[in-house]
Amino acid sequence: SIRSADLTEEDMEEIEKLKQKSWLFGETPKFKVSYEMDFSWGVVQVDMEIERGGKVAYCSFVGPKAVYSLPLLGKTMAGVTFGGAQISKEILQVARALSGDQSFLEDIAGYLGDKIASPFSAPSSRRRDTSKDVDIWQIDPIEI
C-alpha cells in the first residue's frame, strides 16, 4: 500500500496530470459511442466517432422529429470536444438558430449533457423513460 507521505512532489504532479481530461483523451485511441434515447415523442439514435485528442470526428442523429434539423445537428458536432457541457451547448445553439418548436433538441441536449458527463449514471431528465436507454461504447483496435 502506498501512503501519500511516500509520494514526492513530482509524483503528485504526475497524478494530477493523469486526472485531467486533456491527458485522458490525448492518450485514448479513437473510439465510437452510440446512445439510444427513448423520449415521450420518439426514439433518437446518436452515433459518434471520437478521435484521439477527444474531438468529435463524426456524429449522426436519427429520429422521428424535425428530420431537417437532425442532420444539421450531426454536422455541427464535428470538431467539438467530447464532453457533456460542450455537446449540450452546441445542440442548444442549433436549437436557438432554428425557427419553430425545438424543445425536442433541448431534451436531447439535456440527456447527452448528463450522460456524457457521467456515463455510468442515469440522466436526470423527467420527460423520459430511462429504463429503455441503450449506450454502446466501442474502442477501435490500435492501428500499428
Side-chain angles (χ1 to χ4, degrees):
S1 144
I2 298 175
R3 298 177 304 174
S4 59
D6 297 334
L7 298 174
T8 66
E9 186 175 327
E10 190 175 281
D11 293 334
M12 295 303 289
E13 288 173 4
E14 186 69 15
I15 289 169
E16 287 305 310
K17 179 182 94 174
L18 297 177
K19 289 180 183 178
Q20 296 176 13
K21 282 187 180 182
S22 61
W23 181 88
L24 176 65
F25 282 124
E27 298 301 318
T28 300
K30 180 174 83 169
F31 66 95
K32 297 176 184 177
V33 61
S34 295
Y35 301 99
E36 186 173 291
M37 301 166 276
D38 189 6
F39 296 99
S40 60
W41 46 262
V43 175
V44 175
Q45 174 75 34
V46 180
D47 297 307
M48 294 183 190
E49 289 183 16
I50 313 304
E51 60 193 22
R52 186 179 199 107
K55 301 285 184 188
V56 176
Y58 168 82
C59 185
S60 166
F61 290 81
V62 179
K65 296 243 341 174
V67 175
Y68 67 91
S69 61
L70 292 178
L72 171 67
L73 194 57
K75 289 178 184 175
T76 62
M77 291 293 128
V80 174
T81 300
F82 183 69
Q86 295 86 343
I87 297 291
S88 181
K89 178 182 171 185
E90 197 67 31
I91 294 170
L92 292 174
Q93 285 179 346
V94 170
R96 284 191 289 274
L98 297 172
S99 61
D101 179 16
Q102 302 299 320
S103 60
F104 69 97
L105 291 177
E106 293 171 7
D107 291 344
I108 294 170
Y111 173 88
L112 288 176
D114 289 350
K115 194 62 178 176
I116 293 170
S118 300
F120 302 109
S121 63
S124 60
S125 174
R126 293 184 207 124
R127 296 178 64 179
R128 304 181 44 263
D129 176 4
T130 58
S131 66
K132 297 178 183 175
D133 289 344
V134 176
D135 300 335
I136 301 166
W137 291 72
Q138 174 186 338
I139 304 293
D140 288 344
I142 297 173
E143 297 176 11
I144 300 177

